[in-house]
Amino acid sequence: MDQIGHVSMDMSPSYISGVSEYFPDAEIHFNKFHVVKLLNEAMDSVRRLERKEHNSLKGHKYTFLKNPKKLSCGRKAELEQLIILFPTLGKAYRLKVLFNDLWEMDSRESAAAFLNDWCREVEKEGIEPFKKFVKTLKAHWSGIVNFCETKINNGILEGFNNKIQLAKRRARGYRSTKNFINMIYFLCGKLDIDNPLKSS
């Protein structure tokens, strides 16, 4: 147990509790993917609140969530118009884009300084979904700044999990746990299975 120095995971309370109990000396690193997911949820909450009063925002969920570099020219033009027409959305979008600079930080100190400034900006703008996101940041602060320094992530495990969930859905269940485990080994174990009938 004392050989484990770092653990990468999402912000699930049960994961945090488990690591604290079984790996008390390990540093927790919260995966960037999960932090960004929560930020996008805050952004979309702002859009949905505005959407209730303005029908012109219908169909623009991903206009605000997609990486700006991946938007078509038409969508970029629409985005520029929308953030002018709807100032609250514009402020929220600015905060969302600004937050991405966090991942360029390469030390705990620079990451913490950036987050402090960003959280002050959120408080100044007073946008409720973002204020809620700030509370989550503060509750998971050390694990986020740890990630910025080491960039440790669990992307490989996320990939394995996606394969496993897909296999479960396709099979619509397995007759036994053993069969399911065998399928996991088959999909994720990088097995080199020669076909004896295959012509050389």
Side-chain angles (χ1 to χ4, degrees):
M1 299 286 186
D2 57 353
Q3 293 178 328
I4 305 297
H6 307 272
V7 179
S8 174
M9 61 184 181
D10 67 25
M11 291 180 275
S12 162
S14 57
Y15 287 171
I16 296 169
S17 175
V19 169
S20 298
E21 181 175 353
Y22 295 104
F23 307 105
D25 297 326
E27 276 186 0
I28 290 174
H29 302 253
F30 292 122
N31 201 341
K32 168 186 171 181
F33 170 83
H34 298 284
V35 180
V36 171
K37 181 171 180 272
L38 292 175
L39 175 63
N40 282 337
E41 286 173 3
M43 181 71 235
D44 197 47
S45 292
V46 178
R47 182 196 63 84
R48 282 188 281 111
L49 287 169
E50 293 281 315
R51 163 75 178 84
K52 288 178 181 178
E53 298 178 21
H54 304 284
N55 204 44
S56 57
L57 288 168
K58 184 178 180 181
H60 281 290
K61 176 177 180 176
Y62 294 102
T63 304
F64 293 96
L65 298 186
K66 246 185 175 182
N67 184 329
K69 294 177 182 177
K70 294 183 179 179
L71 290 173
S72 67
C73 291
R75 281 291 183 184
K76 279 181 184 175
E78 288 175 327
L79 174 62
E80 288 171 8
Q81 289 179 338
L82 291 170
I83 61 178
I84 293 169
L85 285 171
F86 304 100
T88 301
L89 267 176
K91 291 173 185 176
Y93 189 75
R94 181 183 71 82
L95 289 167
K96 174 186 173 287
V97 172
L98 181 62
F99 189 86
N100 288 329
D101 290 347
L102 171 67
W103 313 119
E104 304 301 318
M105 305 298 152
D106 56 6
S107 72
R108 289 176 176 84
E109 293 75 23
S110 59
F114 176 88
L115 281 175
N116 275 316
D117 289 343
W118 190 84
C119 290
R120 278 195 290 270
E121 282 290 305
V122 170
E123 292 301 323
K124 186 174 76 174
E125 298 295 359
I127 302 170
E128 283 304 321
F130 277 73
K131 287 169 73 175
K132 183 180 176 184
F133 175 65
V134 163
K135 287 180 182 176
T136 302
L137 287 181
K138 288 180 176 178
H140 301 83
W141 193 272
S142 62
I144 295 169
V145 298
N146 285 344
F147 170 84
C148 291
E149 182 167 74
T150 65
K151 305 297 190 277
I152 291 173
N153 67 74
N154 57 358
I156 292 174
L157 293 179
E158 293 283 352
F160 285 159
N161 188 51
N162 287 339
K163 285 185 178 180
I164 292 166
Q165 296 307 319
L166 181 59
K168 189 191 289 186
R169 286 195 298 274
R170 281 181 174 170
R172 293 187 172 85
Y174 289 86
R175 290 189 179 205
S176 69
T177 303
K178 182 180 177 183
N179 287 350
F180 185 38
I181 291 171
N182 286 339
M183 180 55 74
I184 292 170
Y185 281 130
F186 181 76
L187 290 171
C188 303
K190 293 186 179 179
L191 302 176
D192 183 13
I193 301 174
D194 290 327
N195 183 350
L197 301 178
K198 186 178 178 181
S199 57
S200 56

